[in-house]
Amino acid sequence: MLRKFLPDNFVLMLFGTLLVAWMFPLSKEALPWAQNISFAGIFCLFFLHGLRLPRQEVARAMLGWRLQGTMLAFTFILMPLLGIGISKIAAQFLPAALAVGLLYAAILPSTVQSAVSYTSLARGNIAASVIGSALSNLSGIFLTPLLFALLLGSASGVAIGGNVVVKIITMLLLPFILGQATQKWLGKWAVDQRYLLTFFDRGVILLAVYVAFGAAVTSGALAGIEALSLFYLLLFAGIFLAIAFGAAWLIGGVFGFPYEDRISLLFAGAHKSIAIGAPMAALLFPPTLAGLMIVPTILYHQLQLIASAPLAKRLARTPD
């Protein structure tokens, strides 16, 4: 029974990292060093993303332009619009940073692993989910910072200046391009070492979460957050997820997609990636704010895993 509510050990590791950062936060002297180590890890993380994403998959994704286009529009247009509404309502009950964090979660790309896994469990279009979620992550490198500038710049009090643009280019785009360029020589090695590299990926994400949240603890930014606020945050994240699932399923029906494609849109559209969210928050926000901004994403990520397992099983049983 417990396994149904804790479907992914990595989520437990994320919450464990938050606990460690709260109990043993970074000192002000150690924070710059930890940030530099985290940035180096983020560079390597996106290099590996470029190395492991086959170029032919991106080209193949264009062939199913109607479904793939709908997935991208749902992820980067409809979800941000829903996020604006949710965050404005949540702002009446939550501290400003947590309310804005819900909107930050809304502009992130889809997951890859969980979207594909639950699509497979529900007997959906696995190939469409693989390509769609990969294309979502690739597009997110450009679209998430752009949406941040359009929707979150004034709301968060952080504007995208020249230094942030340089960070995005050098820490996200450049390593991804280098990974694509060296795929011919290192691609096979990356496939052979996929299990080891998975541990590295998770380590970088956990480090980014620890540095961001630890900085928020050290600065005192968490002092005003009460248990009731966390309850409201969990509630609004759950409502957001339910609306996202419902909207994805409804849109798939309106567009007349086959049942298998509707399943792909459901999971690839509504899921949000902590693997992109945590490292990108470290680049977009000051350390004292980044820790708060990623908490809604972590909760949303956990809820999507909890809800997707029984939902996928039900979809697999009721194809009509």
Side-chain angles (χ1 to χ4, degrees):
M1 183 178 296
L2 182 62
R3 184 63 180 173
K4 293 180 181 179
F5 296 94
L6 301 173
D8 191 337
N9 290 332
F10 182 56
V11 175
L12 295 179
M13 295 170 68
L14 282 169
F15 284 110
T17 301
L18 294 180
L19 180 62
V20 171
W22 178 61
M23 296 178 63
F24 306 102
L26 291 164
S27 64
K28 293 182 179 180
E29 294 75 17
L31 180 59
W33 292 93
Q35 278 186 297
N36 290 333
I37 295 173
S38 178
F39 288 160
I42 292 170
F43 184 96
C44 295
L45 177 68
F46 279 85
F47 172 77
L48 292 173
H49 279 318
L51 194 62
R52 288 179 291 188
L53 179 60
R55 288 190 291 270
Q56 59 268 29
E57 282 195 7
V58 178
R60 204 170 65 215
M62 304 304 175
L63 299 178
W65 62 270
R66 189 165 172 261
L67 176 58
Q68 300 302 330
T70 304
M71 286 183 179
L72 287 177
F74 188 90
T75 301
F76 295 112
I77 297 178
L78 183 58
M79 286 291 282
L81 291 176
L82 292 174
I84 291 174
I86 289 289
S87 63
K88 284 186 176 181
I89 297 173
Q92 307 301 316
F93 303 89
L94 295 173
L98 293 180
V100 175
L102 284 169
L103 181 52
Y104 174 67
I107 67 176
L108 291 173
S110 174
T111 59
V112 176
Q113 181 179 349
S114 65
V116 174
S117 298
Y118 288 117
T119 297
S120 175
L121 182 62
R123 299 179 182 176
N125 189 336
I126 299 174
S129 289
V130 171
I131 296 168
S133 55
L135 194 58
S136 173
N137 276 254
L138 177 61
S139 303
I141 297 177
F142 307 94
L143 293 179
T144 294
L146 177 62
L147 289 170
F148 164 78
L150 293 175
L151 303 177
L152 282 171
S154 59
S156 64
V158 180
I160 288 192
N163 60 328
V164 177
V165 173
V166 170
K167 278 185 179 181
I168 293 170
I169 293 175
T170 57
M171 303 299 295
L172 304 183
L173 183 58
L174 176 61
F176 184 87
I177 293 175
L178 290 175
Q180 288 278 286
T182 57
Q183 196 174 92
K184 178 180 178 181
W185 299 280
L186 298 176
K188 185 178 182 304
W189 171 82
V191 172
D192 294 339
Q193 303 297 325
R194 60 186 180 276
Y195 294 113
L196 179 61
L197 295 180
T198 297
F199 284 110
F200 176 80
D201 289 353
R202 293 186 171 189
V204 171
I205 296 166
L206 293 174
L207 177 61
V209 170
Y210 172 76
V211 172
F213 198 75
V217 173
T218 301
S219 67
L222 299 180
I225 297 180
E226 302 174 351
L228 183 60
S229 295
L230 294 178
F231 169 77
Y232 279 127
L233 178 60
L234 187 63
L235 176 63
F236 282 110
I239 293 173
F240 188 19
L241 178 64
I243 294 174
F245 274 150
W249 190 253
L250 179 62
I251 289 174
V254 170
F255 285 8
F257 288 139
Y259 185 76
E260 293 79 8
D261 290 353
R262 292 179 71 182
I263 292 174
S264 297
L265 176 61
L266 179 73
F267 293 116
H271 280 199
K272 290 298 180 179
S273 174
I274 188 66
I276 300 294
M280 192 165 286
L283 301 179
L284 294 177
F285 306 111
T288 55
L289 182 60
L292 292 176
M293 294 293 287
I294 60 174
V295 172
T297 303
I298 293 174
L299 290 178
Y300 185 96
H301 184 87
Q302 167 69 355
L303 290 175
Q304 75 188 14
L305 295 178
I306 292 174
S308 293
L311 179 59
K313 291 178 181 178
R314 180 167 181 81
L315 290 170
R317 292 197 304 266
T318 56
D320 55 345

